Amino acid sequence: MAKLASELAKTPRKSVSLNMKNDPKITIDIPQCSKGHSSSDKSQLKNNDKSEFLSTAPRGLRKRLIVPRSHSDSESEYSASNSEDDEGVAQEYEEDTNEDILSQKIQAQNREVSAPVFRETPSKKMKREKTSHLVEKYFEAHSSSKVLTSDRTLQKLKRAKLDQQTLHNLLSKVSPSFSAELKQLNQQHEQLFHKWMLQLHLGFNIVLYGLGSKRDLLERFRTTMLQDCIHIVINGFFPGISVKSVLNSVTEVLDHVGTFRSVLDQLEWITNKFKEDSSLELFLLIHNLDSQMLRGDKSQQIIGQLSSLRNIYLIASIDHLNAPLMWDHAKQSLYNWLWYETTTYSHYTEETSYENSLLVKQSGSLPLSSLIHVLRSLTPNARGIFRLLIKYQLDNQDNPSYTGLCFQDFYQQCREAFLVNSDLTLRAQLTEFRDHKLIRTKKGTDGVEYLLIPVDNGILTDFLENEEEEL
Amino acid sequence: MKSETERLQEELNKNLFDSLVEFLQTSHSGLWKNSKDWSCEIKLREIPTAALVLGVNVTDHDLTLRSLTEVLQNNVTPYVVSLQAKDCPDMKHFLQKLVSQLMDCKVDVQSKEKESVQVIQKNVHYSMDSLSAWYMSVTQKTDPKMPRKKRTSSSQWQSPPVVLILKDMESFTTKVLQDFIIISSQHLHEFPLILIFGIATSPVVIHRLLPHAVSSLLCIELFQSLSCKEHLTTVLDKLLLTTQFPFKLSEKVLQILTNIFLYHDFSIQNFIKGLQLSLLEHFYSQPLSVLCCNLPEAKRRIRFLSANQCENIRRLPSFRRYVEKQSSEKQVALLTSDKFLKEETQSLLENLHVYHKNYFLVLRCLHQFTSSLPKYPLGRQIRELYCMCLEKNIWDSEEYASVLQLLRLLAKDELMAMLQNCFKLFQSSSGKELGNTAKKIEEFLAQFQSLDAETKEEEDTSQSQSKGLQKTDLYHLQKSLLEMKELRSTSKRQTKFEVLREQVVSFVDSLVREYLLPPDTQPLHETLYFSSAHTLRQHLNAAPRIALHTALNNPYYYLKNEALRSEEGCIPNVAPDICIAYKLHLECSRLINLVDWSEAFATVVTAAEKMDANSVTSEERNEIIHARFIRAVSELELLGFIKPTKQKTDHVARLTWGGC
């Protein structure tokens, strides 16, 4: 892929070779070709960064044997990794990062990023052919159980760990591009505000779709149009949101005291309330109606019923690619949607900040910091115990049948290191660890307890390094 | 103006729904008379059941059943309960809902009973026993009162039955249904129950859901509700093909709406929604739509037109064309004097009104002629014909030519039937303009009838002739018969009919050519016709996936920056981060290595940055680029293009295939 990127950022002569790549017969040429390039470029370089290629070299050799030549779909991919492996083999001594090569290459770049696989054919006749081709691509990609990608992991990248805060700080340094155009785009959308109001009043509900966060837009709509009306803003992207809380906020607005037996009861109460009092009006703004928490069938049904009330005006935004699949005919008629395309290109800052599973990088940073945090609050002895366990686990990391450290052995080791004096103190320590979810115990087949740290080995290594630095 | 449009909109909406509901009611009241007779003969242990096949347009069921409930409540029994599958996951909820709704019904009818009802409501044990006990108590209480109250509805029955409507029979749990049916059949002698199943697919489903033991307890009668296509025809007939509502749709809009209806959902409600939306758009976007109201009102409004609005009228393309055709003096007057313009507009609007009146009459007339032709060259439904007529001059089309061809081959009685129908159509309307045509058709009819008479006479004569020939020998007989045959084929009588038929066809043709001009030839048609099909499609039949794809693939489409302009399938490296990340991810197969991805991303982005000759140190720049990559990837995840996977460390899985 790295090579592809270089092609994307690079010269047209490369894209010619890319075209040829669609022919499976010449697949074999490509590594050579790229090798030639990189080596020719190489002579210009002084490299400054020791890289991970050293470690990938033997794997690359192995991998080349595995690679099936006729696998035309993923060929771009494996050829990419191949080429990189080739480089690794051929230029082991030169110790280059791919990246550096590439960034050097770019000096002669042109500005086009080409996407050879998805180059669209302008003629309509080709279109059908293209779609069938795409279908084939899907099955091709899913037919082979083995997916060829390089085995590099983020662990080996130095700057893999970023938490939310630093990420934010870093991003704030980037100056946004195309601000004039974005502004114009937003203004176009803002002109629709009056129309939206009219349509909402006439019983339609509005759904916004398109790339980019629609949060600011809705916020502006709220501040300009809804100042004098009762309105509720619901942040669907918030992970703690549920239909219950949506309904609760509605009943709160209606000054209801007391609780409801079920969500349906609550809905019924709201419905009756709105039917009785026709002067009651409520604007419901839902950011990300398609979020994890709200996309369930029941939630959508209830929100739909809410929105079908005459006096509740719903304006919502959806982002997910398959969001419209949430609604069947019945729900769609409940919602009575009018679709508006509002592509803003603005970043999903708020929306993505709550997702915790987003990138492995971020989630990787969290256990480490929490690990350090918890262990700091412990006694030096407890820390020692834990370090022992870590070391043992790391020593055994290449052993696939490793099930954990047997309690008796562990006790023995701890005693030898003068960390505990009795069975009971160790057990007390372990309970503490278990409470913080730092260790897991498993009963083996022989009835003996085995101890395991359920954290990635890489993080453990980092942790040990950290500890040593501190000492 | 806004309030005015709103008012108009409301008015029209009300009309729409009124007509629909009215239509539904009429269609169902017929059914119900039947079912009343039939359910009188309740056999012991058999629950009378009506299975209502409603068709696949699920969204309309609600409306249908609601009106049905109303009708039932007014005419048959106060106890009507409708249940939905989603309320009844099990037996307990089922009964609970049933009882509470029944109580509510009761409360509505007799508020005096309230106290006793409340006592029962406290009873948490909802069982069939309590239900029948309640029913007994209620009916017994009401029975003595009955003679005094003289309730027409319940007096037909000694004890009014309880009607239970199951709105979506297919989605009920089989177990619940079976149990309920068995239990209630046990109680039937004290608790007269009638079931109504709403079925979306086919009646076979009853037997699939219920085993024989259960379905034998039911006495099922099947009712077929009208097909949704017929609904559509009536709605169109009542709303668009009349002069009652001035608002009209242009050909493309109508096409889109019917297409959505026929190919997407078969839902009248959605169709009406589309109609509403186009109405709204029309009033919102067309400043001259103030004139889109009935004629006297429009005339009144013309008087109050501001100078600005007059200017708007002058700018209408159709009006310009009209002005250009006028004499030069009149042109000057039209373009300078507001007063003269207003008068002219009034007369033009009047013309437009008359044009519509004639238009629809002739359209229906033409439909009479074309709807029964073999192969339906101009469509079976009047809406297809209408679409064609709206689109262009219909007489230029090939289909029209073939229609005329076919009409020339029609037999006499068919032709006469058609003419009869047309005559009725014209007579029912009071238009002066078309009075002549009505007369003419009458004449044609008369001529046909006289033809009839003549043929009879001639047949008589030929009969007598053949009698006269009897005495001649065989050879002569043969000869004369042959002669007669020849005579007959070219006879005066036949040609007379053909001439007449030719006349009728050319008459129809002339009618069509005179009155079925496409509306965009008429001046001021913009005030009444809504034509921006594009917006309608955008708002009703949106394509979020395509929008996302274009935004990611071709940012120039949205951000009109020259730097972003590029050839097909390529994006420049200065494009927004997410576009670059998306483009790179398209290259990958099922799994994507994050490291490779991020490096590729960094490569592209640094290429773009170098242009600006960035002075930041490379380490910091790398950090920033990495952060941008993280953001782009998390955005792609939010959009549903990728998801994290455990198959391989630091990999994400691709979720989309193909262009969009």
Side-chain angles (χ1 to χ4, degrees):
Chain A
M1 188 203 265
K3 198 205 80 199
L4 251 169
S6 81
E7 280 153 4
L8 297 183
K10 259 189 66 194
T11 57
R13 74 197 149 110
K14 266 313 265 195
S15 80
V16 174
S17 80
L18 264 175
N19 281 348
M20 290 170 16
K21 218 161 136 188
N22 285 336
D23 188 349
K25 281 179 197 162
I26 22 174
T27 324
I28 195 89
D29 299 341
I30 290 149
Q32 255 91 42
C33 155
S34 86
K35 191 158 94 183
H37 268 286
S38 43
S39 57
S40 70
D41 285 327
K42 209 128 296 159
S43 54
Q44 309 167 2
L45 306 175
K46 291 267 176 186
N47 61 75
N48 35 18
D49 201 348
K50 306 268 172 188
S51 83
E52 52 278 352
F53 276 95
L54 278 171
S55 63
T56 59
R59 180 187 51 81
L61 283 170
R62 189 185 65 227
K63 199 169 188 181
R64 259 193 304 173
L65 297 172
I66 299 165
V67 167
R69 210 179 285 176
S70 60
H71 197 284
S72 68
D73 174 54
S74 62
E75 104 205 337
S76 63
E77 177 144 321
Y78 79 70
S79 69
S81 62
N82 247 5
S83 72
E84 157 204 309
D85 292 337
D86 276 8
E87 276 167 20
V89 176
Q91 288 120 24
E92 221 172 328
Y93 304 110
E94 301 202 15
E95 292 174 353
D96 261 334
T97 55
N98 216 349
E99 198 181 327
D100 277 280
I101 304 167
L102 296 171
S103 60
Q104 289 297 325
K105 280 180 188 174
I106 283 150
Q107 307 211 314
Q109 84 282 71
N110 83 340
R111 303 179 62 244
E112 295 294 302
V113 176
S114 70
V117 184
F118 282 82
R119 179 162 296 139
E120 272 165 44
T121 45
S123 73
K124 285 212 169 176
K125 274 185 186 174
M126 296 288 282
K127 216 163 187 178
R128 184 173 299 163
E129 238 169 70
K130 202 184 107 197
T131 50
S132 70
H133 178 61
L134 290 173
V135 173
E136 277 167 26
K137 276 179 82 75
Y138 173 84
F139 285 111
E140 248 172 55
H142 283 250
S143 58
S144 66
S145 58
K146 196 161 172 62
V147 186
L148 297 162
T149 51
S150 66
D151 284 339
R152 301 197 291 163
T153 56
L154 293 162
Q155 288 295 319
K156 290 162 191 159
L157 275 184
K158 284 294 157 200
R159 46 176 162 68
K161 292 144 225 154
L162 283 175
D163 59 18
Q164 199 62 245
Q165 191 56 41
T166 48
L167 185 71
H168 190 75
N169 289 343
L170 282 173
L171 286 175
S172 61
K173 288 179 194 159
V174 185
S175 60
S177 47
F178 309 114
S179 47
E181 285 81 4
L182 287 174
K183 209 172 159 193
Q184 202 183 348
L185 211 60
N186 273 325
Q187 271 166 359
Q188 272 177 28
H189 299 321
E190 274 165 45
Q191 282 164 8
L192 294 169
F193 282 176
H194 281 281
K195 200 169 176 179
W196 289 353
M197 278 305 271
L198 178 67
Q199 285 170 340
L200 285 173
H201 274 287
L202 288 170
F204 294 105
N205 293 311
I206 288 175
V207 61
L208 307 178
Y209 65 93
L211 180 68
S213 169
K214 290 156 280 283
R215 199 168 164 275
D216 294 338
L217 187 71
L218 278 178
E219 202 56 24
R220 271 200 300 283
F221 174 71
R222 189 180 72 85
T223 45
T224 49
M225 309 300 292
L226 301 181
Q227 277 312 314
D228 310 323
C229 322
I230 308 173
H231 57 264
I232 296 176
V233 181
I234 290 156
N235 292 322
F237 49 80
F238 190 72
I241 201 95
S242 67
V243 200
K244 182 88 181 138
S245 51
V246 174
L247 290 178
N248 277 344
S249 52
V250 175
T251 41
E252 227 168 82
V253 167
L254 299 178
D255 292 328
H256 174 78
V257 224
T259 50
F260 294 96
R261 257 189 307 157
S262 70
V263 182
L264 285 175
D265 271 350
Q266 201 167 359
L267 182 69
E268 209 176 294
W269 186 84
I270 293 169
T271 320
N272 287 336
K273 190 86 181 169
F274 274 96
K275 272 181 183 156
E276 279 166 24
D277 189 358
S278 56
S279 65
L280 215 55
E281 287 190 338
L282 177 71
F283 283 85
L284 210 58
L285 277 86
I286 303 183
H287 302 295
N288 284 75
L289 187 61
D290 56 346
S291 66
Q292 286 290 348
M293 296 306 295
L294 294 180
R295 68 174 65 147
D297 189 54
K298 275 205 175 125
S299 320
Q300 288 298 326
Q301 178 74 33
I302 284 165
I303 296 176
Q305 269 168 334
L306 210 57
S307 70
S308 66
L309 291 177
R310 190 101 185 100
N311 303 333
I312 291 186
Y313 311 116
L314 174 69
I315 177 163
S317 67
I318 55 168
D319 286 305
H320 197 276
L321 190 64
N322 296 325
L325 299 181
M326 293 188 298
W327 305 311
D328 56 9
H329 273 320
K331 285 197 199 73
Q332 248 166 9
S333 78
L334 277 179
Y335 275 118
N336 205 10
W337 285 129
L338 284 187
W339 298 76
Y340 274 91
E341 184 184 331
T342 52
T343 302
T344 59
Y345 280 102
S346 41
H347 295 289
Y348 291 102
T349 328
E350 286 292 318
E351 286 91 328
T352 53
S353 64
Y354 289 108
E355 302 240 357
N356 43 13
S357 66
L358 264 184
L359 257 193
V360 199
K361 293 164 221 172
Q362 290 175 7
S363 61
S365 73
L366 280 177
L368 181 58
S369 62
S370 59
L371 210 66
I372 293 169
H373 213 73
V374 171
L375 284 207
R376 282 225 179 109
S377 63
L378 295 175
T379 58
N381 267 4
R383 256 184 277 174
I385 294 170
F386 195 67
R387 208 176 305 132
L388 259 182
L389 193 57
I390 292 178
K391 273 181 186 151
Y392 189 81
Q393 185 157 337
L394 288 179
D395 287 342
N396 283 295
Q397 63 177 328
D398 293 330
N399 180 8
S401 59
Y402 172 71
T403 50
L405 179 55
C406 155
F407 180 79
Q408 284 308 324
D409 291 352
F410 192 37
Y411 176 59
Q412 206 58 44
Q413 282 183 26
C414 288
R415 266 184 80 102
E416 278 163 18
F418 299 112
L419 292 169
V420 291
N421 52 10
S422 77
D423 192 334
L424 278 179
T425 35
L426 180 58
R427 281 204 187 275
Q429 263 328 320
L430 291 182
T431 329
E432 175 124 8
F433 289 151
R434 204 177 295 133
D435 289 345
H436 285 107
K437 301 218 167 77
L438 290 177
I439 59 163
R440 223 171 37 201
T441 49
K442 245 195 301 193
K443 275 258 164 68
T445 43
D446 44 359
V448 187
E449 257 183 303
Y450 286 97
L451 304 168
L452 200 68
I453 306 175
V455 181
D456 209 47
N457 284 338
I459 292 165
L460 290 183
T461 335
D462 289 336
F463 173 72
L464 278 188
E465 276 169 25
N466 255 15
E467 285 275 282
E468 268 150 34
E469 271 170 36
E470 272 177 35
L471 292 172
Chain B
M1 192 191 111
K2 209 168 172 183
S3 64
E4 192 131 298
T5 55
E6 270 176 43
R7 193 185 55 76
L8 251 175
Q9 162 98 22
E10 300 264 293
E11 195 177 286
L12 285 173
N13 282 357
K14 225 178 76 188
N15 276 324
L16 287 167
F17 278 107
D18 278 354
S19 62
L20 192 68
V21 167
E22 188 188 317
F23 170 73
L24 289 172
Q25 277 176 349
T26 49
S27 67
H28 282 295
S29 58
L31 292 180
W32 278 94
K33 263 169 209 141
N34 291 342
S35 68
K36 240 166 29 180
D37 303 337
W38 138 87
S39 52
C40 285
E41 312 148 11
I42 301 175
K43 289 175 209 156
L44 206 65
R45 290 280 158 107
E46 275 197 8
I47 309 171
T49 309
L52 215 55
V53 181
L54 291 164
V56 287
N57 47 341
V58 190
T59 45
D60 297 341
H61 292 180
D62 228 22
L63 205 63
T64 317
L65 288 172
R66 214 178 310 146
S67 65
L68 176 65
T69 323
E70 259 168 47
V71 173
L72 281 176
Q73 247 161 1
N74 294 337
N75 301 333
V76 187
T77 161
Y79 314 110
V80 181
V81 180
S82 63
L83 291 178
Q84 272 178 312
K86 65 174 190 296
D87 298 333
C88 318
D90 54 33
M91 200 61 201
K92 192 180 147 215
H93 282 96
F94 191 99
L95 280 177
Q96 200 170 319
K97 274 267 173 234
L98 175 64
V99 171
S100 62
Q101 278 205 29
L102 259 183
M103 306 289 180
D104 280 353
C105 290
K106 200 60 208 163
V107 172
D108 287 345
V109 178
Q110 286 151 328
S111 48
K112 279 182 193 172
E113 235 72 49
K114 227 173 189 172
E115 289 145 40
S116 66
V117 168
Q118 271 170 353
V119 172
I120 303 168
Q121 260 179 339
K122 279 174 197 159
N123 235 351
V124 202
H125 299 286
Y126 296 104
S127 68
M128 215 57 201
D129 284 328
S130 69
L131 201 64
S132 55
W134 166 80
Y135 181 78
M136 289 297 273
S137 70
V138 171
T139 40
Q140 269 164 11
K141 269 180 199 163
T142 50
D143 273 343
K145 288 175 195 163
M146 209 64 90
R148 263 193 291 136
K149 282 193 171 177
K150 300 241 173 187
R151 294 193 64 91
T152 47
S153 58
S154 20
S155 59
Q156 294 169 352
W157 308 76
Q158 293 95 346
S159 50
V162 174
V163 178
L164 177 63
I165 303 177
L166 303 180
K167 279 183 180 172
D168 36 3
M169 155 105 177
E170 283 100 332
S171 36
F172 275 96
T173 345
T174 20
K175 187 88 175 48
V176 172
L177 262 186
Q178 289 171 17
D179 288 351
F180 178 74
I181 290 170
I182 293 171
I183 295 173
S184 52
S185 74
Q186 301 285 333
H187 288 269
L188 198 65
H189 53 279
E190 53 202 26
F191 186 72
L193 184 80
I194 299 180
L195 287 175
I196 298 176
F197 295 150
I199 296 172
T201 48
S202 75
V204 188
V205 86
I206 299 177
H207 298 289
R208 209 169 334 136
L209 280 178
L210 305 172
H212 182 72
V214 178
S215 59
S216 63
L217 293 174
L218 301 173
C219 164
I220 300 173
E221 189 139 325
L222 201 65
F223 297 96
Q224 188 91 35
S225 79
L226 284 171
S227 84
C228 45
K229 275 187 202 163
E230 280 167 62
H231 277 218
L232 179 68
T233 318
T234 22
V235 170
L236 273 180
D237 220 39
K238 281 196 173 158
L239 295 174
L240 287 180
L241 301 177
T242 57
T243 47
Q244 203 184 344
F245 305 106
F247 175 73
K248 298 281 178 294
L249 295 176
S250 77
E251 180 261 339
K252 272 197 185 134
V253 178
L254 188 63
Q255 199 86 52
I256 281 183
L257 282 180
T258 44
N259 279 353
I260 290 179
F261 178 82
L262 292 175
Y263 300 124
H264 286 255
D265 49 11
F266 284 119
S267 159
I268 292 287
Q269 257 182 347
N270 270 357
F271 184 80
I272 287 178
K273 174 183 159 192
L275 217 55
Q276 279 174 338
L277 179 67
S278 46
L279 194 65
L280 181 66
E281 275 294 319
H282 180 64
F283 280 123
Y284 191 83
S285 55
Q286 173 63 259
L288 285 173
S289 55
V290 276
L291 299 181
C292 179
C293 50
N294 46 11
L295 197 58
E297 175 71 17
K299 276 183 179 170
R300 198 182 57 77
R301 281 187 201 175
I302 285 174
R303 259 178 263 139
F304 300 111
L305 284 185
S306 65
N308 206 352
Q309 280 170 315
C310 288
E311 206 46 50
N312 274 333
I313 293 183
R314 287 191 189 112
R315 259 187 236 129
L316 286 181
S318 67
F319 188 74
R320 271 204 216 140
R321 252 176 278 144
Y322 171 75
V323 169
E324 274 158 24
K325 278 181 205 153
Q326 306 301 314
S327 63
S328 57
E329 283 163 46
K330 212 175 170 190
Q331 273 185 14
V332 172
L334 275 174
L335 292 179
T336 51
S337 152
D338 276 359
K339 201 178 158 215
F340 188 67
L341 178 83
K342 281 177 187 173
E343 277 166 24
E344 194 65 22
T345 339
Q346 281 190 356
S347 67
L348 279 178
L349 272 184
E350 220 164 310
N351 284 347
L352 205 57
H353 187 73
V354 172
Y355 158 78
H356 275 138
K357 222 170 181 175
N358 297 338
Y359 189 94
F360 292 124
L361 269 177
V362 176
L363 187 73
R364 276 165 212 273
C365 172
L366 183 63
H367 180 64
Q368 284 295 339
F369 278 105
T370 58
S371 59
S372 54
L373 290 178
K375 281 194 192 163
Y376 310 103
L378 282 178
R380 203 186 310 215
Q381 303 282 352
I382 196 162
R383 59 163 189 271
E384 295 163 63
L385 186 66
Y386 185 48
C387 264
M388 276 188 208
C389 293
L390 284 175
E391 195 185 353
K392 56 184 181 195
N393 288 337
I394 184 145
W395 54 86
D396 289 339
S397 65
E398 270 175 44
E399 289 89 353
Y400 183 73
S402 69
V403 162
L404 287 189
Q405 208 73 47
L406 286 169
L407 279 179
R408 287 198 183 99
L409 298 171
L410 274 182
K412 195 178 71 187
D413 38 357
E414 280 177 294
L415 200 59
M416 279 197 44
M418 284 176 189
L419 279 175
Q420 288 280 6
N421 283 336
C422 288
F423 182 62
K424 270 181 214 151
L425 262 179
F426 282 116
Q427 274 206 324
S428 63
S429 75
S430 53
K432 292 170 202 162
E433 313 269 320
L434 289 166
N436 295 338
T437 44
K439 246 178 232 164
K440 194 135 189 210
I441 290 177
E442 208 176 358
E443 272 170 36
F444 277 128
L445 276 171
Q447 276 174 338
F448 274 116
Q449 256 141 21
S450 64
L451 260 184
D452 259 352
E454 272 175 48
T455 47
K456 260 181 202 159
E457 275 171 30
E458 270 188 38
E459 257 163 37
D460 287 347
T461 54
S462 62
Q463 289 262 312
S464 61
Q465 265 184 354
S466 59
K467 270 176 200 163
L469 283 171
Q470 260 175 355
K471 275 175 190 169
T472 56
D473 58 281
L474 204 68
Y475 172 72
H476 272 114
L477 181 69
Q478 254 179 353
K479 205 178 171 185
S480 60
L481 276 174
L482 270 176
E483 271 173 10
M484 267 169 62
K485 227 177 227 168
E486 271 171 33
L487 205 79
R488 197 168 285 176
S489 61
T490 56
S491 75
K492 219 164 124 199
R493 168 170 57 97
Q494 289 287 1
T495 47
K496 216 177 189 176
F497 169 66
E498 268 167 15
V499 165
L500 208 52
R501 188 166 61 185
E502 192 61 44
Q503 271 177 359
V504 169
V505 171
S506 63
F507 167 70
V508 170
D509 189 35
S510 70
L511 266 185
V512 167
R513 274 163 201 269
E514 194 178 348
Y515 294 111
L516 283 189
L517 291 165
D520 41 351
T521 57
Q522 303 294 316
L524 289 183
H525 71 91
E526 285 98 337
T527 56
L528 304 188
Y529 280 83
F530 173 70
S531 57
S532 82
H534 176 65
T535 47
L536 203 64
R537 188 197 289 277
Q538 228 172 30
H539 297 321
L540 286 181
N541 216 1
R545 275 188 89 123
I546 291 173
L548 268 183
H549 183 71
T550 21
L552 288 169
N553 237 349
N554 187 12
Y556 178 72
Y557 183 82
Y558 292 101
L559 307 167
K560 304 279 180 212
N561 189 314
E562 282 307 308
L564 291 173
R565 188 193 275 287
S566 65
E567 57 192 272
E568 281 284 313
C570 295
I571 56 167
N573 51 15
V574 290
D577 293 346
I578 189 170
C579 299
I580 295 172
Y582 173 73
K583 207 72 203 178
L584 289 170
H585 117 282
L586 286 184
E587 311 294 332
C588 300
S589 69
R590 205 143 50 98
L591 294 180
I592 307 170
N593 185 316
L594 275 174
V595 184
D596 290 348
W597 196 5
S598 86
E599 279 181 2
F601 179 80
T603 314
V604 176
V605 172
T606 38
E609 296 253 308
K610 277 277 168 64
M611 293 253 159
D612 322 337
N614 226 336
S615 59
V616 201
T617 57
S618 90
E619 189 47 43
E620 197 181 347
R621 203 187 61 218
N622 281 347
E623 289 263 295
I624 291 176
I625 289 172
H626 191 63
R628 280 166 64 183
F629 172 69
I630 293 176
R631 178 171 62 185
V633 169
S634 49
E635 280 172 1
L636 279 181
E637 192 190 344
L638 182 83
L639 292 174
F641 284 103
I642 51 166
K643 71 169 187 203
T645 175
K646 290 242 167 74
Q647 281 182 36
K648 214 169 168 187
T649 43
D650 292 334
H651 276 65
V652 288
R654 246 185 102 173
L655 296 175
T656 53
W657 300 96
C660 51

